[in-house]
Every structure is written in structure tokens, then in C-alpha cells.
Amino acid sequence: MAIVVGVLCVLVVGLLGLVLAFARDRGQLQRQLADTRAHVAQLESDLDAALRPPPPTNSAERAVRRVIRTASKVRSHGITGLIQSTVEDLQTWASDDERADILNMAASDGTVTLFFSDIEESTPLNDRLGDATWVKVLAAHDRVLRAQIEKYRGQVVKTAGDGFMVAFRDSEAACRAALGIQRDLPRDVTLRRHGPILVRIGIHTGQVVARDGDYFGRNVAMAARVASLAHGGEVLASDAVREALDEDAALTLVERDAVELKGLAGEHVVWEILPPAS
């Protein structure tokens, strides 16, 4: 009996030794693993910084950057996946021909940037100035807008009175055109004489349906709703515009409180677009 007890004691002591040794080794392995993961993370960070290209210094380099970004999307998702992602929210009601129109007029990533503008309190202004003067004011207003739209290669989709709907292939171009308009309106001799003439502008980026020279879809409504939030002299943009801008875009964005937009579910972040800080 004593022999059995002795053997059991030896076995227990041996097992305890093994458990302690395993626990010690396990702790060392965990520390080594944590150190290795930290080292790998640092190496990945250093590699990413080394491979990250410097910010483009001119428009040609920015264009190349956009081509590379699009190629990366194609590499990750395939061309079929890229095209499908740009029109998936339209397939329930757009025909094949209309989808072709979308791809023909869209930017490289399948999106269009829409710009809506109108003159703040235009009806009281018309009443105060009279129809004859109002026609001159509208003509001067249109000249300023069309000059900037042409400069940044926008396409006027339609106008209604003092309102403009414009499409741009590039979100930064739309923002720059809007800022140029707000800068040039007070400089116009006619508008300065009868002013102030304050224009509110809203910008949104997304996919649309092109039909008979016009654009339709949820994102058209979004752009119009963003414009309706602006006060005279302001340029507001949706969060989609911010996401579409290159990191080196020479613009200042100021975040506004999230808002609800009539007819569009959820809350939406809106940004005020300002010239770059000097």
C-alpha cells in the first residue's frame, strides 16, 4: 500500500511539474507572439509609408492617380463587379440602353457629380427690381455661372428661371466651379449695381439614369435637397462628395450637423465647401 501511495505521489508531483512548465512555456510563447505581431504591424506600416506615392503636384499627376485608383478597383473586384456596383441601385427600373447612357457619361468609377443652384429669394427680388431689370440680372447671373461651368467642363442639364442643374465628371471640378461662381458673382458690374444677388449651391456625387438629355434617380433628388439647405452665398456638399475628393484636393470642408432630407431615409452628413485656407 505504501508503495502505491509513493508511486501516486511521484506521479502527482510529475504532473504538477509538467503543468507548471507548460504554463511557463505558454506564457513565453504568448509574449513572443505578441512581440512578433507588433513587429509585423510596424513593418507593414513602414512599408505602406515607403510605397505611398507623394501627393500629385499638377493636374496631369492627379489624372494619373485617378486612373490608378480605378485600375485598383478593377483588380480587386473585376470589371464586371465594378460596373455592377455602379448601377445596381438602378437595375429595377433602367433599361439596357439607359444603363449604357450611364456608363458613357459617368466618371471612371461610374459616378456623376450633380450641382444645383438658384438665387435666394428670387421672387421678392424680381418684384423689387421689376421685370425689365430682372431680365438683365438673370443674364448677368447666367454669364457668371456658364463661364465657370465651361471652365471646369461641366454640362448644363437644364435651367428653370434662375435655377441651374449641372453635371460634372469630377467632384473637385464641381466644387471649384461653385467656389468660382460665388467669388465672381459680387464682382459682376450688373449684379453689383442691383445686388446683392446671393446664390445657393448644393453638390452630390452618385449614380444617375440619363434619358433624353436629362438625369433621374435618387441621387438627383439628393443633390436638390442638399442645395435647398444652403443659404445665399454658400456651397454645400453631401458626404459622398467628400469621399469622392482626392486627398490633395485644394478645398476646405467644414462639417455641418447631420440632417434629415425630405423623402430620403436616415440622417445625412453635409459639408460646407470653402476655398483652401491660406
Side-chain angles (χ1 to χ4, degrees):
M1 187 66 180
I3 296 175
V4 173
V5 172
V7 170
L8 289 176
C9 290
V10 170
L11 290 175
V12 169
V13 171
L15 287 173
L16 286 174
L18 289 174
V19 169
L20 292 174
F22 176 77
R24 182 179 63 253
D25 293 343
R26 183 171 181 270
Q28 292 176 348
L29 289 173
Q30 286 179 330
R31 287 191 294 272
Q32 291 175 358
L33 180 60
D35 292 342
T36 301
R37 285 175 174 171
H39 185 58
V40 170
Q42 183 62 49
L43 288 175
E44 289 178 344
S45 177
D46 293 343
L47 180 62
D48 179 67
L51 295 179
R52 187 182 303 121
T57 58
N58 54 52
S59 58
E61 290 186 6
R62 281 194 289 271
V64 171
R65 179 73 60 82
R66 294 188 185 100
V67 171
I68 293 173
R69 189 167 58 235
T70 302
S72 297
K73 290 182 180 179
V74 174
R75 182 181 178 186
S76 298
H77 306 293
I79 187 66
T80 302
L82 177 63
I83 294 175
Q84 181 180 358
S85 69
T86 63
V87 297
E88 61 186 1
D89 61 335
L90 306 172
Q91 289 184 354
T92 58
W93 59 288
S95 68
D96 291 338
D97 290 340
E98 288 162 344
R99 291 189 205 119
D101 288 339
I102 297 168
L103 297 179
N104 288 336
M105 55 79 66
S108 58
D109 61 355
T111 60
V112 176
T113 298
L114 294 177
F115 162 124
F116 277 82
S117 72
D118 65 0
I119 297 176
E120 186 178 54
E121 300 293 335
S122 58
T123 301
L125 273 172
N126 186 358
D127 183 60
R128 177 173 64 83
L129 296 174
D131 289 343
T133 300
W134 182 244
V135 169
K136 296 178 183 178
V137 167
L138 283 182
H141 161 271
D142 289 4
R143 283 197 304 271
V144 172
L145 265 70
R146 289 182 183 277
Q148 290 295 324
I149 292 167
E150 181 179 356
K151 178 179 178 180
Y152 290 99
R153 299 184 180 182
Q155 174 187 346
V156 177
V157 179
K158 58 185 174 184
T159 62
D162 59 288
F164 271 69
M165 175 182 176
V166 187
F168 291 85
R169 290 173 61 88
D170 180 82
S171 58
E172 184 175 352
C175 293
R176 287 181 174 274
L179 292 176
I181 289 167
Q182 300 293 25
R183 181 196 64 223
D184 290 348
L185 283 170
R187 299 177 179 178
D188 184 88
V189 175
T190 300
L191 299 178
R192 191 165 61 242
R193 182 185 307 125
H194 300 291
I197 306 299
L198 300 177
V199 169
R200 52 186 189 167
I201 299 174
I203 304 172
H204 174 61
T205 296
Q207 296 85 40
V208 297
V209 166
R211 181 188 299 159
D212 299 329
D214 203 350
Y215 300 138
F216 304 88
R218 177 183 182 276
N219 287 310
V220 176
M222 172 75 80
R225 293 285 184 260
V226 171
S228 70
L229 295 175
H231 296 295
E234 287 185 339
V235 179
L236 298 185
S238 67
D239 201 45
V241 173
R242 179 193 61 80
E243 292 178 352
L245 289 170
D246 290 337
E247 292 181 1
D248 63 315
L251 300 166
T252 298
L253 284 75
V254 178
E255 186 174 359
R256 297 285 191 86
D257 292 336
V259 296
E260 293 183 353
L261 300 176
K262 183 178 179 182
L264 299 170
E267 290 191 334
H268 304 269
V269 176
V270 176
W271 300 78
E272 183 176 2
I273 306 295
L274 298 171
S278 57

